Amino acid sequence: MTLPGTRVSPEDPVTMVRHLLEKQRVVQTMVHKEEPTPKHDLVESLIQRQHLAELRSKLAPVHAADVAHVLEVLPNDDRFLVWNQVSDSRGGEILLEVSSTVRQNLIRSMSTTELASVLGQLDADDLADIADDVPPEILQQRLNSLNEEAQNWVRSALAYEADSVGALMTSEMVTVRNTETLSNVASTLRVLKKLPLHCDKLFVTDRRNQFVGVLPIQSILLNDPDQTVGEVMATEVVRFVPEDSAHEAAQAFEKYDLASAPVLNQRSKIVGRLTVDTMVDYIREKSAGEVLSMAGLRGEEDLFAPIRDSARNRALWLAVNLVTAFVASSIIGMFEGTIEKLVALAALMPIVASLAGNTGNQTTALIIRGLSHGQVTAENTLYLVRKELGVTLLNGTLLASAVGIFAWLMYGTATLAAVLAAAVVSNLLIAALVGLAVPLALQRLGRDPAIGSSVVLTATTDCLGFLIFLGLASLFLL
């Protein structure tokens, strides 16, 4: 896909870069194998510079977002090599495009002077976007080089919560007075060097600089030039305040197909603008974060991060899982005598835990999705509990019948089949309740509903599943 107004390469950037890096490695290997000569090091250095120059020239026409993607799919050594070929001229715009973890990785690899040079390529809006990943002393140094208005903007943006509208809004916008004529507005637009990104509407203010409506760009073209802005502007407008939830703002952008929207303070003064590209990035990052959180991973993990960093990110919930595994093992140990007398129980136990785990994951996924879309409320929670238990009971009865028949055919014991079926139904109902309760409880506590949900669910269904199955077996089979 070709993006309008951007530089592109006819070749897939990832394939192109990997090909160049591989060619460089092959040539270097060949040079190393040659007999040493007085000019051997000079030849090797010239070849190295030639390859780097070719890499720079190939990357020059590639869009910053594509270069960012290249950096995200390369191992660290190759990533830093590519980054050093682009950071001087386009490092700032590329830092904006890469994921937060890769950005932190790149920033750590740079000297203070190099980082200051790259940050110098960014304006106040862009600087606010990546400020959390920049060392405080370097950030302050860059802020000192901005004018007072830009410094105030960055500081105000950083003061808002990460998931708030204020943290995502931009200062780039075009405002007009409601008393101006459309011809005057058109003249004003023509003298501008360029319009802000996704500028589908202008923001309208009155003589007190209070927001009163929006003027769609098409209204300037389709109406009489002598009409005033106030006569043709739209007053029923989706608007936000900086403290609004970014998640709710993203839902509004999706629901009303917005390209941009004003952000107002309590006095109806315009303090910023939200754009659809920012909302799309926010939704993508939150969705990716939810997938990782369900598996117990904290934040976004770089696939090519150092082993120590990745291990630290995964360790917490693995430790929790280890504790629950010991609990499950202890439960099995409590019924060691039962299992010794009826070995078939050991073969059937995984069925009870596996079916419940899958059922619980389905429920958890649906509830987390419902919470993210604002579909789960205090008023309908009880209905959802009844509905999920009903679905689980129906599916559980069918599955329990199937596994019961299987156990009866395999072992010829109707009582064993009945115990297995009862354990399956019971554990499936427990899984559904846990799948509902964990994300709802986390949200009530103000936490991400996805954090560790699958880990808690698996631990619960394993421990209680084994306890129910082996407990019933002890009562009815011995």
Side-chain angles (χ1 to χ4, degrees):
M1 179 181 69
T2 301
L3 299 177
T6 60
R7 299 171 295 174
V8 296
S9 171
E11 185 180 2
D12 173 52
V14 175
T15 302
M16 178 264 291
V17 170
R18 282 177 171 160
H19 173 72
L20 289 176
L21 294 175
E22 183 60 30
K23 184 173 71 171
Q24 178 182 353
R25 279 190 282 266
V26 171
V27 173
Q28 285 181 333
T29 301
M30 293 175 61
V31 172
H32 280 306
K33 289 182 179 179
E34 293 180 355
E35 291 294 330
T37 66
K39 296 184 178 180
H40 183 272
D41 291 341
L42 176 61
V43 171
E44 187 173 356
S45 176
L46 288 173
I47 293 174
Q48 172 76 357
R49 286 202 295 268
Q50 181 182 359
H51 282 299
L52 294 180
E54 182 181 8
L55 181 60
R56 280 195 297 272
S57 66
K58 290 284 189 179
L59 288 171
V62 178
H63 190 274
D66 291 324
V67 177
H69 177 61
V70 170
L71 294 171
E72 289 176 345
V73 301
L74 291 177
N76 274 339
D77 290 344
D78 290 341
R79 174 185 292 167
F80 296 143
L81 178 64
V82 172
W83 170 246
N84 288 332
Q85 309 317 307
V86 297
S87 59
D88 288 345
S89 59
R90 296 196 291 153
E93 59 178 334
I94 293 170
L95 279 184
L96 290 171
E97 298 289 346
V98 296
S99 65
S100 179
T101 49
V102 173
R103 183 186 304 126
Q104 293 168 12
N105 195 10
L106 294 174
I107 288 175
R108 284 196 298 267
S109 73
M110 303 172 69
S111 67
T112 300
T113 303
E114 290 171 335
L115 180 55
S117 175
V118 168
L119 295 181
Q121 302 168 17
L122 302 177
D123 60 20
D125 277 334
D126 294 337
L127 191 62
D129 287 341
I130 68 169
D132 289 340
D133 298 325
V134 179
E137 63 277 7
I138 307 299
L139 178 62
Q140 186 59 51
Q141 178 182 333
R142 174 64 179 125
L143 285 176
N144 292 339
S145 67
L146 300 175
N147 59 45
E148 185 177 356
E149 181 181 358
Q151 289 186 37
N152 291 336
W153 171 261
V154 175
R155 291 193 178 99
S156 65
L158 296 178
Y160 295 111
E161 295 291 336
D163 286 334
S164 69
V165 165
L168 300 178
M169 65 184 181
T170 174
S171 61
E172 294 184 338
M173 68 190 84
V174 179
T175 61
V176 294
R177 282 287 177 86
N178 58 348
T179 54
E180 290 187 71
T181 63
L182 297 182
S183 61
N184 286 341
V185 172
S187 299
T188 300
L189 294 180
R190 280 193 290 269
V191 300
L192 295 177
K193 293 182 179 180
K194 65 176 182 179
L195 289 176
L197 190 64
H198 300 295
C199 184
D200 64 320
K201 59 178 73 77
L202 311 182
F203 299 158
V204 184
T205 61
D206 59 17
R207 61 183 179 82
R208 295 177 297 174
N209 288 326
Q210 290 185 320
F211 176 81
V212 292
V214 298
L215 178 66
I217 295 293
Q218 64 177 359
S219 297
I220 303 173
L221 304 174
L222 301 179
N223 290 285
D224 185 342
D226 293 329
Q227 286 186 286
T228 65
V229 171
E231 292 174 328
V232 300
M233 70 180 185
T235 56
E236 296 296 324
V237 181
V238 177
R239 65 196 75 183
F240 303 98
V241 297
E243 294 77 19
D244 281 340
S245 162
H247 178 72
E248 293 177 358
Q251 289 180 326
F253 266 72
E254 180 183 13
K255 181 178 181 180
Y256 299 111
D257 294 325
L258 301 176
S260 64
V263 182
L264 314 178
N265 63 18
Q266 298 300 325
R267 300 188 303 275
S268 295
K269 300 289 183 67
I270 305 172
V271 295
R273 183 174 72 111
L274 279 183
T275 57
V276 64
D277 61 321
T278 302
M279 290 293 96
V280 169
D281 289 343
Y282 175 80
I283 294 171
R284 177 182 58 81
E285 291 172 4
K286 293 297 288 185
S287 298
E290 285 179 358
V291 173
L292 296 175
S293 294
M294 288 184 67
L297 294 175
R298 296 176 295 172
E300 187 177 3
E301 181 176 320
D302 177 12
L303 285 174
F304 302 101
I307 292 175
R308 181 180 299 178
D309 293 346
S310 295
R312 186 185 304 115
N313 190 35
R314 306 180 195 186
L316 174 61
W317 285 102
L318 287 177
V320 173
N321 202 20
L322 177 62
V323 173
T324 60
F326 281 128
V327 174
S329 178
S330 300
I331 291 173
I332 294 173
M334 291 167 53
F335 296 94
E336 185 177 351
T338 304
I339 296 174
E340 286 180 351
K341 294 178 182 178
L342 191 56
V343 180
L345 297 176
L348 296 175
M349 280 192 303
I351 296 176
V352 179
S354 176
L355 290 175
N358 289 333
T359 297
N361 279 326
Q362 290 176 344
T363 301
T364 299
L366 287 171
I367 294 302
I368 291 175
R369 180 180 180 275
L371 288 170
S372 67
H373 286 76
Q375 297 171 334
V376 180
T377 64
E379 290 75 19
N380 61 25
T381 299
L382 186 58
Y383 169 81
L384 288 174
V385 171
R386 291 197 298 264
K387 182 250 185 180
E388 285 301 314
L389 289 179
V391 171
T392 302
L393 183 61
L394 177 58
N395 285 338
T397 301
L398 295 174
L399 291 171
S401 300
V403 298
I405 293 172
F406 168 79
W408 178 61
L409 293 175
M410 284 289 295
Y411 302 103
T413 305
T415 307
L416 174 61
V419 165
L420 178 61
V424 166
V425 172
S426 301
N427 206 25
L428 260 61
L429 290 172
I430 290 172
L433 285 173
V434 174
L436 280 161
V438 171
L440 290 175
L442 287 171
Q443 189 200 43
R444 182 66 62 87
L445 295 172
R447 306 295 298 275
D448 184 349
I451 292 179
S453 295
S454 63
V455 178
V456 174
L457 176 66
T458 300
T460 305
T461 53
D462 282 355
C463 294
L464 294 183
F466 295 153
L467 181 62
I468 292 171
F469 181 47
L470 296 176
L472 291 174
S474 298
L475 290 175
F476 296 104
L477 295 176
L478 297 180

